Amino acid sequence: MNLHHVRGALASSHRFGPQARHQLALWLLLTPFLAGAFLLIGLPALITFGLAFTRYDAISPPVWNGLQNFATIFQRDLFWIAVRHSLLFAATAAPLQVLGAMMLALLLHPPRRGAKLYRAAVYLSSVLPDVAYALIWLWLFNPLYGPINLLLGSAGLPQPAWLVDPATALPALVIMAALRVGEGMLLLIAARQAIPGAYFQAAMLDGAGRWQSFRYLTLPLLTPWLLLLLVRDVVLGAHGAFTPVYIMTGGGPGYATTLLPFLIYEEAFGHLRIGQAAAMMTVMFTAIGLLVGVVYRWANRLAYDDDL
Amino acid sequence: MTMTSRHTVEAPASVLTAPAAERPHKRTGAWRRRGRRLLWQMLALSVAALFLTPLLWMVVASLQPVGLPPARTLGWFPQGVAWSNYSEIFRIIPLARQLGNSLWVSSVGAAVTLLTASWAGFAMAQMAPPVRRRLVALALLLLLTPASAVWLPRYLLFSAAGLIDTYTALVAPALMGTKSLFVLMYYWSFRRVSLELFEAARLEGAGVWASWRHIALPLVGPTTLAVLVLSFSHYWSDFVDPLLFLKSAQRFTVAVGLRMLQQMDVTNWPLLLAGVVIMVAPVLLLYALLQVMLRGDAHFWRRTLRNGVGGENAQEGSPPAELSG
């Protein structure tokens, strides 16, 4: 019988055993996180869902109007324009980001001289504040004085008007988004380095060339991470595109860069059509939820062990 | 392996011819390797340069003289270098005040995040497996929530609570560890630490608080450093929250201050970009500090990743990640 047993016996004579008290203390430490998650995400999501079925202008109290908001937004051309632009943006920017991150990871993963500096250089543009990044690119894309067009001009290439031209405004936003691949690259470098070198030696002995060991070894082993990145980039792109649009184009020219988050912002805070904004958010939320669900199913079918 | 052993077996037979026959071969091999390395250096360097160019252009543009029409030819400083832009900008907008505001908000945000995220991660790591798995799933779900979906309801909640135009509204996310990624980072780090240590501390009569403060936290220094840098720059960079929740100009942070400057004079590029340089500098410095202190990102992320993926299995079984060429 040692001291621990005595202490244990003493403690268990209280109303709560030490085990239960320990458990209670752990839940106490979790309280801020859980409370914050409920107050700042759970409750707001519920409020959004509720408001989607009301007419509300932030001044008089909300009035129930059933599915009217959804009927209205589905009839508005602007909503479909924003949906189309958002889909177009996600369908181009996210795959470009994943592809770019993968190519950079494959290039920069060997621990050679200077590799860390090169990685840092790539990572840099991903850590810049959104506002700063948007303002820098607003300058770079300046059709008259911007360095990009001066460079194109001196090479005798055509100089697009970028953000001023409806045809090139959205592609310009895609270009600048596609260059922010630092986090994806770091993740894939880590994933690539986690593949045992013996696999590659074995493949080489079997006569596999560089392309073959990439195609049949690296790529399948990286696939779960690529999928994860793709989902992340689609979801982040869905709202991350707000700041560049707000700072650089204001949704224009015309409605060429009106993406869903920007339209939602305008509806809610510009026109105080809060019910309609909430309906749009509900649609966006549902679409993203479906996408995540589908990819999750798909990733599970790859028999990947994702037990955390 | 088979190849080398066969080679050593055969070696004695060709002892005389081997050096003469192999030396040229070896030399071309070495040359080829050197050539490949050089090619890699050139490729990697040009990629790095491509990503650094926008930043270089930003600095160059911020030093052009104000008032003249921008040059329409390529060239670094066709009209001279105007260092005075960096003092001028403090005169035309209250930049010093905005920097102070940002510093205050970011420091408080990062400090609170450190507490809440490490508490949550610490508690999660010690929960029974089914509870733990559910909490991790919750954290991942929160990670995927688009922020734009909660702007409006948060605005309504904050105005109901009288928090509009206060910094509380800006740092409120710190209550949940800012991003659930930070909670997960702590969770993974604490899982890596032997849990028997916490168990032993508990049996010794140490409370959860003492165990967190004196055993757990000192063991995960790199994670704490990373969370501090990431959360500080999160609040420093935050644009949408101050845009929505702040009303009075004297409370503005740098992010909305720059927007204000942009609206004041759209064509004054040098001053605007000087402001951008000033906003960007602390973030870059912090990341450089993190890089130096963690002595390279890859190692840290690899450990985080391996523990994040494999869970308990990875701690015991997985071989150290070998680097291949």
Side-chain angles (χ1 to χ4, degrees), chain A residues 4 7 22 29 32 40 48 107 112-113 118 131 136 139 179 193 225 235 239 247 281 284 304 307-308, chain B residues 40-41 47 51 55 58 61 123 144 148-149 153-154 175 187 202 204 208 239 262 302 305 308-309 321 324:
Chain A
H4 298 151
R7 213 176 263 163
H22 177 70
L29 286 185
L40 293 165
T48 303
L107 176 69
R112 298 210 176 123
R113 183 193 292 264
Y118 299 140
V131 184
I136 293 170
W139 163 246
L179 286 174
Q193 290 182 340
W225 298 110
V235 174
H239 75 86
I247 295 273
M281 274 184 240
M284 192 170 91
Y304 187 72
D307 177 33
L308 291 149
Chain B
W40 182 86
Q41 285 289 345
V47 165
F51 278 87
L55 291 172
M58 157 187 87
L144 288 175
S148 55
R154 270 190 199 173
L175 182 62
Y187 165 75
R202 191 164 67 81
E204 287 291 335
V208 166
F239 172 64
Q262 185 203 1
R302 192 165 63 232
L305 184 75
V309 182
S324 71

Side-chain angles (χ1 to χ4, degrees), chain A residues 83-288:
Chain A
V83 167
R84 203 173 58 233
H85 289 159
S86 285
L87 286 177
L88 209 60
F89 182 81
T92 47
L96 279 176
Q97 281 172 321
V98 174
L99 192 70
M102 189 181 72
M103 282 164 54
L104 287 166
L106 290 180
L107 176 69
L108 297 179
H109 84 266
R112 298 210 176 123
R113 183 193 292 264
K116 274 178 196 159
L117 276 179
Y118 299 140
R119 285 176 210 156
V122 173
Y123 189 63
L124 224 54
S125 61
S126 305
V127 304
L128 295 182
D130 285 349
V131 184
Y133 195 67
L135 287 172
I136 293 170
W137 279 90
L138 191 58
W139 163 246
L140 301 186
F141 278 136
N142 187 304
L144 287 182
Y145 312 113
I148 292 181
N149 269 3
L150 291 184
L151 206 63
L152 288 176
S154 68
L157 292 167
Q159 297 162 291
W162 298 114
L163 299 164
V164 187
D165 180 352
T168 49
L170 197 59
L173 293 183
V174 170
I175 290 174
M176 57 178 276
L179 286 174
R180 297 186 101 177
V181 291
E183 283 165 7
M185 179 195 69
L186 287 191
L187 182 85
L188 290 178
I189 284 179
R192 171 63 184 75
Q193 290 182 340
I195 303 175
Y199 290 11
F200 291 96
Q201 282 153 22
M204 229 164 69
L205 287 184
D206 286 343
R210 274 168 167 266
W211 167 252
Q212 278 166 323
S213 55
F214 168 73
R215 171 69 187 79
Y216 295 105
L217 196 56
T218 316
L219 194 59
L221 286 172
L222 289 185
T223 301
W225 298 110
L226 296 173
L227 268 179
L228 181 80
L229 267 185
L230 192 65
V231 172
R232 192 198 77 129
D233 286 342
V234 167
V235 174
L236 280 189
H239 75 86
F242 171 79
T243 304
V245 169
Y246 184 86
I247 295 273
M248 298 170 74
T249 67
Y255 292 110
T257 56
T258 299
L259 301 176
L260 214 38
F262 184 75
L263 182 64
I264 290 171
Y265 172 85
E266 288 278 282
E267 288 295 309
F269 296 99
H271 307 295
L272 292 180
R273 286 193 285 256
I274 291 175
Q276 284 191 32
M280 289 179 193
M281 274 184 240
T282 307
V283 171
M284 192 170 91
F285 224 30
T286 313
I288 288 174

Side-chain angles (χ1 to χ4, degrees), chain B:
Chain B
M1 254 184 38
T2 45
M3 269 172 93
T4 47
S5 60
R6 201 194 314 146
H7 187 79
T8 45
V9 169
E10 280 174 8
S14 55
V15 130
L16 277 175
T17 51
E22 273 189 7
R23 212 176 283 144
H25 173 72
K26 239 182 211 163
R27 201 176 285 162
T28 53
W31 275 109
R32 190 186 288 168
R33 213 172 319 133
R34 203 174 292 170
R36 203 183 283 163
R37 218 172 278 163
L38 194 70
L39 193 71
W40 182 86
Q41 285 289 345
M42 276 158 56
L43 205 61
L45 192 67
S46 45
V47 165
L50 174 75
F51 278 87
L52 287 180
T53 309
L55 291 172
L56 184 68
W57 274 337
M58 157 187 87
V59 175
V60 169
S62 76
L63 290 170
Q64 305 295 338
V66 182
L68 303 170
R72 294 206 51 185
T73 48
L74 269 182
W76 293 118
F77 295 103
Q79 296 155 335
V81 181
W83 295 104
S84 59
N85 289 350
Y86 282 85
S87 52
E88 182 66 20
I89 184 169
F90 282 88
R91 272 200 292 278
I92 63 167
I93 58 165
L95 189 59
R97 182 181 191 106
Q98 291 166 359
L99 285 168
N101 292 345
S102 281
L103 184 67
W104 169 244
V105 169
S106 312
S107 308
V108 172
V112 177
T113 299
L114 166 63
L115 293 181
T116 52
S118 68
W119 286 341
F122 180 67
M124 267 165 76
Q126 296 180 71
M127 290 281 179
V131 185
R132 204 169 70 211
R133 220 166 289 144
R134 240 164 258 160
L135 287 169
V136 170
L138 173 74
L140 289 175
L141 190 72
L142 293 176
L143 208 56
L144 288 175
T145 312
S148 55
V150 293
W151 292 339
L152 172 62
R154 270 190 199 173
Y155 184 88
L156 298 175
L157 281 174
F158 285 152
S159 51
L163 294 177
I164 294 299
D165 207 20
T166 67
Y167 289 147
T168 314
L170 296 192
V171 296
L175 182 62
M176 52 171 286
T178 302
K179 289 179 179 175
S180 52
L181 174 69
F182 303 152
V183 173
L184 287 172
M185 281 166 70
Y186 269 114
Y187 165 75
W188 288 326
S189 307
F190 287 134
R191 293 293 303 167
R192 200 166 60 229
V193 174
S194 166
L195 289 177
E196 282 103 57
L197 213 56
F198 303 142
E199 188 67 22
R202 191 164 67 81
L203 292 176
E204 287 291 335
V208 166
W209 176 265
S211 166
W212 167 80
R213 172 73 189 80
H214 297 294
I215 301 172
L217 217 48
L219 284 172
V220 294
T223 306
T224 298
L225 192 68
V227 166
L228 278 179
V229 168
L230 291 173
S231 57
F232 184 93
S233 55
H234 169 87
Y235 289 104
W236 183 269
S237 311
D238 192 7
F239 172 64
V240 178
D241 282 1
L243 178 74
L244 293 179
F245 304 141
L246 294 183
K247 300 292 169 204
S248 37
Q250 83 260 22
R251 293 207 177 85
F252 279 3
T253 56
V254 187
V256 275
L258 283 188
R259 168 65 178 169
M260 210 169 76
L261 181 64
Q262 185 203 1
Q263 284 173 316
M264 271 165 55
D265 187 355
V266 198
T267 56
N268 200 339
W269 285 106
L271 282 194
L272 185 58
L273 287 165
V276 172
V277 172
I278 291 173
M279 182 192 186
V280 160
V283 177
L284 296 188
L285 275 178
L286 275 179
Y287 275 92
L289 184 81
L290 182 70
Q291 181 94 0
V292 170
M293 289 186 74
L294 294 186
R295 271 192 254 115
D297 42 76
H299 185 54
F300 172 72
W301 288 110
R302 192 165 63 232
R303 274 190 312 182
T304 308
L305 184 75
R306 204 192 305 150
N307 286 282
V309 182
E312 289 100 294
N313 313 346
Q315 282 175 357
E316 297 150 15
S318 77
E322 278 302 317
L323 308 172
S324 71

Side-chain angles (χ1 to χ4, degrees), chain A residues 37-95:
Chain A
F38 175 72
L39 284 174
L40 293 165
I41 295 188
L43 188 60
L46 286 177
I47 291 177
T48 303
F49 188 69
L51 284 175
F53 302 95
T54 64
R55 197 171 62 238
Y56 184 40
D57 57 6
I59 299 160
S60 39
V63 182
W64 179 265
N65 70 351
L67 292 171
Q68 187 57 48
N69 288 328
F70 292 94
T72 311
I73 61 168
F74 288 154
Q75 277 164 10
R76 288 182 62 191
D77 289 338
L78 193 52
F79 174 71
W80 291 112
I81 288 173
V83 167
R84 203 173 58 233
H85 289 159
S86 285
L87 286 177
L88 209 60
F89 182 81
T92 47

